[in-house]
Amino acid sequence: MQDACLAPSLGEAYREHFLIGAAVNAHMLRDEQYQRLIRRQFTSITAENEMKPESLLDREATLALGDPIRCALRFDLADRMLSFAQACGIRVRYHTIVWHNQTPRWFFAEGWSDAPDAPLADTETVLSRQEAYILQVMEHVNRVFPGLVYCWDVVNEAVEPAQGGPDGLRTHSLWYQTTGSAFLAHAFRAARKGQAEGQLLFYNDYNSYFPEKQEAILKVLKNLQAEHLVDGMGMQTHLDIGSLDLPAFETGARAYAKMGLTLHITEMDIHCPGADEESQALLAKAYGDFFAMLLRLQREGAKIGCATLWGVTDQYTWLRFFRKQESYPLLFSGELKTKPAFDAVMDAAKAGEAAAARW
Ligand code: GLA
């Protein structure tokens, strides 16, 4: 166990391969220790919440604008994070633009009403609002922080075959309920208009290697690709030490790579309820195997751009709330020390170099 701020850097170890990212939040950025750790270890960050629609949309100011399509946005939290990244020379994965979650209902309602039963706006209005929102966000970020964001999660989690909708699309979603499937390609078309040169557009989802779900996602991606609208697939990668199936993950990842898409691991953590030595050794083995697999895919020709962890240390992991159970799923402990899983990821990089040299 080493002090994470003094230990060798993950970002450096993988520099020749892909970016190493972490999801960070405003709370961490108020803590100097966290700032030092992030700066030392990572080459990419994702905002845990600060760039999602609910963090940007300002209803009062939107009402004051008096426009049925254009809404008012506040960028204070997002800008603080973007400024931090810029000052540290860290790049940013923008997460996320279109999502059924963490987007207030009033965005979809007639007259921006926040009454719980307010009628929803018609399809055309919602699609126009969507385009205005996307262009506004991209214009702001690219003007104030040129060159900082390297990719955008344009649509998050639009597929959920378990809900029984056509083509496996998620039906419990105000995007779907107001526009049918139209919101998907429409969002990517707007993002193509608003993107800066070199930025990649991503579709992002969880369990994206589960066969039924993957089949539906591949269909979505193929349709988008036919219009040259999508550049990458974001595999969230919320895994569980109790039900790991890395061979299945690898098969799934290969199918996306085969489409010529850039692959990002966007939200990796491995739920692990035990902090004891044995549990953490298992976790380390899983992380080591996972990163070895990414490097293997890359040697085979897959375009892997980034591996992002969902969090920085075990202290603030969302899994403790989500699972209602203890969880120690990341590479650094709450004391900001490296864990065996960190060493395993570092070792995978070294073994990867050796394999590449033999190749
Ligand atoms: C999804 C979202 C993330 C985050 C996690 C839970 O995976 O894409 O933004 O909200 O859920 O923390």
Side-chain angles (χ1 to χ4, degrees), residues 23 46-49 52 95-96 99 101-102 153 156-157 204-206 236-238 266-267 269 310 317-319 322:
T46 303
E48 197 171 345
N49 290 303
K52 292 175 178 170
H95 174 76
T96 182
W99 192 23
N101 214 344
Q102 290 186 263
D153 280 341
N156 195 31
E157 303 180 348
N204 189 51
D205 214 328
Y206 60 86
Q236 289 190 4
T237 321
H238 294 292
T266 56
E267 306 186 16
D269 47 23
W310 202 249
T317 173
W318 72 293
L319 286 169
F322 182 63

Side-chain angles (χ1 to χ4, degrees), residues 290-359:
F290 187 88
F291 276 77
M293 172 194 66
L294 291 183
L295 293 169
R296 185 164 60 242
L297 288 170
Q298 192 171 53
R299 281 196 302 279
E300 281 175 16
K303 290 187 275 183
I304 300 187
C306 156
T308 288
L309 294 147
W310 202 249
V312 174
T313 74
D314 289 345
Q315 183 179 9
Y316 297 120
T317 173
W318 72 293
L319 286 169
R320 208 163 284 131
F321 305 98
F322 182 63
R323 300 271 185 167
K324 298 187 180 55
Q325 195 182 22
E326 276 307 314
S327 195
Y328 303 89
L330 294 167
L331 307 182
F332 302 106
S333 70
E335 292 77 40
L336 284 77
K337 297 275 197 298
T338 63
K339 294 169 52 182
F342 168 88
D343 299 327
V345 174
M346 284 303 226
D347 289 347
K350 281 182 215 139
E353 302 299 340
R358 278 199 305 278
W359 229 47

Side-chain angles (χ1 to χ4, degrees), residues 65-83:
L65 278 182
D67 187 319
I69 302 300
R70 204 179 145 77
C71 46
L73 304 179
R74 47 165 186 260
F75 285 102
D76 45 336
L77 288 177
D79 281 1
R80 218 171 292 157
M81 202 164 278
L82 291 160
S83 299

